[in-house]
Amino acid sequence: MTETCLKRLPVGVPNWGKIRNRNYFFVDKTSLLADLVTDHNYVFISRPRRMGKTLVCSQLSDLFAHGDKNFEGTAIYGNWPERQCYPVINLSFINIQGSDFELALRDALVDAFEIAGFSEVLNIDPDIRFNHFLGRVKSLIKTCEVVFLIDEWDFPLSSRLDDEEAFNSARTTLATFYSWLRTLTNVRFSLITGIMRYRDASLFTGQDVQDISMDPDFANLVGYTQEELVTNYAPYIEAAAQVLNISQDELLLRLKQYYDGFCFDYDAKVNLYCPDSINKFFAPVARKLISGKSKKLPVFDHYWMDSSNATVALRSYLHRKNFTVDEVIKLCRQELTIDQSTITTPTNFNDITDLQVLFQSGFITLKSVTDGSKDFPPSEREYNCGLTNYDVAAKYAAVLASYLSNGVGESGVSVCFYRAQQALLADDIERTCLSINELLCNIRFDVMANAQENFYRTFIALSLRSDLIAVSEEYANNLGRCDLVITTAHCLYVVELKRLYGDSDNKEDKLQLLDRAEQQILDKCYLNNIPAEGRRVISVQIVISDRFRQLTAWRASDQLKGTRQGFIEPVTAEVR
């Protein structure tokens, strides 16, 4: 490998012209574009943010406006089916913001039509009603065919899920716009991208829009397959493995754990990496080898979660709904099943479900078709779902724990999670419990008032689960179910929880519960049926205090360290 093998990576550059002019690296996905524009007229595709939708819009804009002259060396060059050029109307709703959404949209339309060559739009009276404004625009473009490329169509709605009045106001404006768009008879092609599908916005009315979001033929229109990653990023993979002093196989495994897993086809077979995350991971390698100036190492970080604004919709949704404890546990555990209609059917503001928000925004993804529906038509299938990858998991846990707490921000939650995880990795059970208690003491009263043992079990799992720590709840054998099995690189913890009811804070009562939990682990043979694979097997018992609603005592036993135990003083300081 030589330095000339590497190009700079287009981090935060979803613009085709800039990628070509600045000679940035790119993965050629253009082979699908010819079929897209030949077989469809009005197209909708739903994908989470940062997956590459904006780049597809940029490529199509260039192709429709200028032909394939800027695509030499790509799969579409010489295969673009159009023999003429079109005015292209580009709109990105993520950039259309302001307290008066209708006014902001009107201004954005004026800019888009002027850029497309319709300068007469500047002469339209800015004070006329919105539907009259759209009528004037229609008269300006009636003599030619046009192309509409609309990115992030639902952002004005998804960002207002905690404010029904603002949501309805934006929806009314969008309904007017999309009703108008559907009346145009001179649209050569229209691509609309977004996340959620909202009813009563006129976008999904009738059969005009073809939703290809779950179509296997376009499953990898955005995102990278494993083959695309290994083939196109080969020199970057080699360089990063050398810099990190690990094998290429280990590097690929960790990349897969962190950034792979997005799945959008109704067969649940095509898994995809987030392009933005991959480019951000490898960017320091490219800079270092090309310029020699960068001292940064590639880091396995939460790139997608930190840049996608995926938490906006989830946070808004959580704070407008009063979840029961059982619903909270379901959200924490993420053992979810979703059907095809829930994914694809447009919904109203008051009917939005947690599954829709989690799936469409990218927190959970399709893992497999359920056994009972594999032979069903795609429209009738059900899917097993789970958290998409490690990049998603930590941030999801922080958003959810922050929602449950009294004002503890997501950064504060993440700090407590980190402390608990680092303590466990150091085999310090008491410090692990203390860090979890820092969050438990801030959980809202209405949640904790009815919390049973299963809530604490799930909250502990939520706090500890990470790329270095695997957690299973209710691990079963033929004699019973162990509360938690926690696996690290060197240790396997078999954990049993017991609850100290009432107002008791008596140490003798705690010791009795620790004894009962330890005996249960022995009687049910929990230590004997779990593959340890060379790890230390440690029996752990934890007592939960009803009085303080925290973890109050612990014991751990194994052959190396023997038995150790302790009592935990309740935590009262709030975390911010």
Side-chain angles (χ1 to χ4, degrees), residues 453-513:
E453 184 181 300
N454 61 348
F455 171 81
Y456 292 95
R457 179 184 66 231
T458 299
F459 192 83
I460 292 170
L462 186 75
S463 303
L464 295 178
R465 191 176 285 120
S466 73
D467 58 327
L468 300 178
I469 303 173
V471 185
S472 299
E473 296 184 55
E474 296 189 292
Y475 195 99
N477 65 10
N478 64 331
L479 296 176
R481 291 184 297 185
C482 177
D483 282 322
L484 294 166
V485 172
I486 305 172
T487 306
T488 69
H490 305 292
C491 299
L492 189 148
Y493 298 91
V494 178
V495 183
E496 189 64 30
L497 306 175
K498 293 297 177 186
R499 188 172 174 184
L500 181 60
Y501 290 95
D503 291 332
S504 172
D505 192 35
N506 187 289
K507 289 187 177 181
E508 290 301 318
D509 293 336
K510 298 176 186 178
L511 288 171
Q512 289 181 12
L513 288 174

Side-chain angles (χ1 to χ4, degrees), residues 288-305:
K288 183 178 182 65
L289 294 182
I290 292 171
S291 68
K293 296 178 181 179
S294 178
K295 297 180 180 179
K296 296 169 65 176
L297 295 177
V299 176
F300 293 95
D301 209 343
H302 305 287
Y303 298 117
W304 180 77
M305 286 300 303

Side-chain angles (χ1 to χ4, degrees), residues 143-304:
T143 60
C144 62
E145 285 191 297
V146 295
V147 171
F148 281 85
L149 301 173
I150 300 173
D151 200 18
E152 304 291 2
W153 88 277
D154 64 307
F155 185 79
L157 303 177
S158 296
S159 60
R160 291 171 167 85
L161 289 179
D162 56 347
D163 187 338
E164 187 171 5
E165 183 178 353
F167 179 97
N168 287 333
S169 177
R171 185 188 60 189
T172 299
T173 298
L174 287 174
T176 301
F177 171 69
Y178 286 109
S179 293
W180 169 81
L181 182 61
R182 292 174 62 244
T183 67
L184 300 180
T185 58
N186 57 328
V187 175
R188 162 59 189 89
F189 178 80
S190 178
L191 173 65
I192 301 169
T193 80
I195 297 177
M196 297 288 288
R197 300 163 176 83
Y198 295 106
R199 190 176 295 154
D200 300 331
S202 293
L203 175 58
F204 300 100
T205 303
Q207 302 300 316
D208 297 34
V209 175
Q210 295 172 280
D211 188 343
I212 63 168
S213 303
M214 300 286 287
D215 188 334
D217 288 342
F218 296 98
N220 65 334
L221 178 63
V222 299
Y224 300 151
T225 64
Q226 183 73 24
E227 182 181 359
E228 287 172 331
L229 174 72
V230 172
T231 301
N232 291 276
Y233 283 84
Y236 300 91
I237 292 168
E238 180 184 349
Q242 290 177 355
V243 168
L244 294 175
N245 196 28
I246 59 177
S247 69
Q248 292 188 40
D249 286 343
E250 183 178 351
L251 176 68
L252 287 170
L253 175 61
R254 296 202 68 189
L255 287 172
K256 190 174 187 66
Q257 291 172 331
Y258 264 88
Y259 308 122
D260 191 23
F262 292 94
C263 181
F264 309 108
D265 66 293
Y266 60 62
D267 293 324
K269 290 183 177 179
V270 181
N271 285 344
L272 299 165
Y273 288 83
C274 172
D276 187 66
S277 299
I278 294 299
N279 285 338
K280 286 179 176 175
F281 176 83
F282 284 116
V285 174
R287 284 197 299 269
K288 183 178 182 65
L289 294 182
I290 292 171
S291 68
K293 296 178 181 179
S294 178
K295 297 180 180 179
K296 296 169 65 176
L297 295 177
V299 176
F300 293 95
D301 209 343
H302 305 287
Y303 298 117
W304 180 77

Side-chain angles (χ1 to χ4, degrees), residues 309-337:
N309 286 326
T311 56
V312 172
L314 177 62
R315 195 183 297 116
S316 296
Y317 176 74
L318 289 172
H319 285 280
R320 80 173 177 87
K321 183 174 179 180
N322 185 25
F323 286 94
T324 66
V325 173
D326 287 342
E327 288 173 325
V328 168
I329 291 173
K330 183 179 177 182
L331 286 170
C332 290
R333 296 185 70 169
Q334 287 306 298
E335 296 175 355
L336 304 171
T337 302

Side-chain angles (χ1 to χ4, degrees), residues 83-101:
R83 293 297 174 259
Q84 69 179 81
C85 297
Y86 300 86
V88 180
I89 311 302
N90 289 287
L91 291 172
S92 174
F93 276 91
I94 205 166
N95 297 321
I96 302 175
Q97 301 187 35
S99 57
D100 189 334
F101 175 67

